Amino acid sequence: MAEYFDISNWEEKPWYQTGGTRSKVIVENPVNHKDYYFKTSLKKDQKDYKYEFWSEIIASEVGSTLGFELLKYDIAYKGEEIGCISESMVTEGKNKLTEGISYLTGYDSSYNPKHKDSKKQYSFQLIKNALAFYKLDRFIDNIIQLIIFDSIIGNGDRHQENWGIITEYNEVIKSIEDLAKKDKKSFIERQMFFLLQTISKIKKNNFDEVLKDIRLIFSITGEFSPIYDSGSSLGREMDDTKMIQMTKDSTMMDAYIRRGVSEIHWEGEKLSHFDLIQKINIEYPEAVSKIVTRVKDRYNAESIRNLVENIDINLPEHITINKLPTDRKEFIIKLITLRIEKLISIIR
């Protein structure tokens, strides 16, 4: 169950930059001295998704219950703001998170997610090819898990910065050391040799060869990150009136589910979450079946209801105004239930 933290007196680290579309700051826990990310809900122009941080927390709890590896999000209060908090996945000086965008743009230099024309390029095929290029094929199952999890919560914002791979800093050093031993050169000789080669190729504008060298030297043996940044889900954009109406109208609810699309395209086409999974199922039937079967086996309607109904039970009395309304809880429970049923039907 989600815990509650008052982080008003935690030290903020404004010198660290953070990405994303929501207000996000890094703070240090004075007890364990670890870094945590505090995020509030999106409020920009005409958009005020005040329940978005609750979606992040519920997604974290539901996903873990169904056997997905998720970053844990808890409730946090900072001054006059309420939001969600999560412990940093990495430790400064020890390891780092390399987001998907780095692999995609490294593999295909024409891909630029800031350009509207590049949106269609962000596809399952691009991710698959980029992972293969960097010898990270083993993580394709993790990508499939991401897509299946997003189908359960209706997340339409799994962009290239919302997944990544955690690597140890010393992996780069180890790779160069291994090459040095094979070539019977000293570690410093190997570093200098590689540097001079790279400079020479850059001068000749031979960037394809440079990328090839970097791929060989920076041999990555990291781990796929836990699933994170899943707040754009569970109807967080829905206003109260429409949400209540939809909960009572099964036709409206079904239409809403069918309209939900994945940010990850299939061969340039943007599909619904479930249509995308069906496409992937043709190519990776064992992986899809294994994940969906696990969801089916672990799914329990009463457990999901209990989880959602009590998600805010640890809020102190002075901020109970920030509790998730009962009507919205009912909507979320129904939405998750219907989405899981639809997912399970794919492998029947």
Side-chain angles (χ1 to χ4, degrees), residues 99-114 126 130 133-134 160 211:
E99 295 169 338
I101 185 173
S102 297
Y103 300 106
L104 302 183
T105 55
Y107 164 70
D108 185 352
S109 58
S110 71
Y111 174 64
N112 185 350
K114 292 183 179 180
L126 175 63
F133 179 77
Y134 286 102
Q160 60 285 329
L211 283 174

Side-chain angles (χ1 to χ4, degrees), residues 302-326:
E302 282 306 308
S303 294
I304 297 294
R305 171 169 291 279
N306 182 64
L307 187 157
V308 176
E309 287 182 345
N310 293 288
I311 198 69
D312 50 12
I313 196 171
N314 289 322
L315 273 185
E317 288 187 12
H318 69 283
I319 56 170
T320 51
I321 190 173
N322 293 296
K323 281 196 170 188
L324 194 61
T326 301

Side-chain angles (χ1 to χ4, degrees), residues 36 84 102 112 124 130 134 256 263 292 296 298 347:
Y36 287 72
C84 58
S102 297
N112 185 350
F124 182 81
Y134 286 102
Y256 175 69
E263 182 67 17
V292 176
K296 180 181 178 181
R298 296 180 68 119
I347 62 168

Side-chain angles (χ1 to χ4, degrees), residues 53-68:
F53 79 92
W54 283 120
S55 293
E56 190 81 76
I57 294 168
I58 293 172
S60 169
E61 296 287 331
V62 168
S64 297
T65 299
L66 296 175
F68 295 92

Side-chain angles (χ1 to χ4, degrees), residues 59-112:
S60 169
E61 296 287 331
V62 168
S64 297
T65 299
L66 296 175
F68 295 92
E69 186 182 356
L70 272 98
L71 184 64
K72 180 170 172 53
Y73 286 88
D74 290 301
I75 312 160
Y77 192 71
K78 187 177 186 295
E80 297 298 316
E81 291 187 304
I82 190 166
C84 58
I85 193 168
S86 59
E87 184 179 337
S88 174
M89 292 180 281
V90 298
T91 302
E92 185 181 0
K94 180 182 177 184
N95 53 14
K96 66 171 292 187
L97 171 71
T98 303
E99 295 169 338
I101 185 173
S102 297
Y103 300 106
L104 302 183
T105 55
Y107 164 70
D108 185 352
S109 58
S110 71
Y111 174 64
N112 185 350

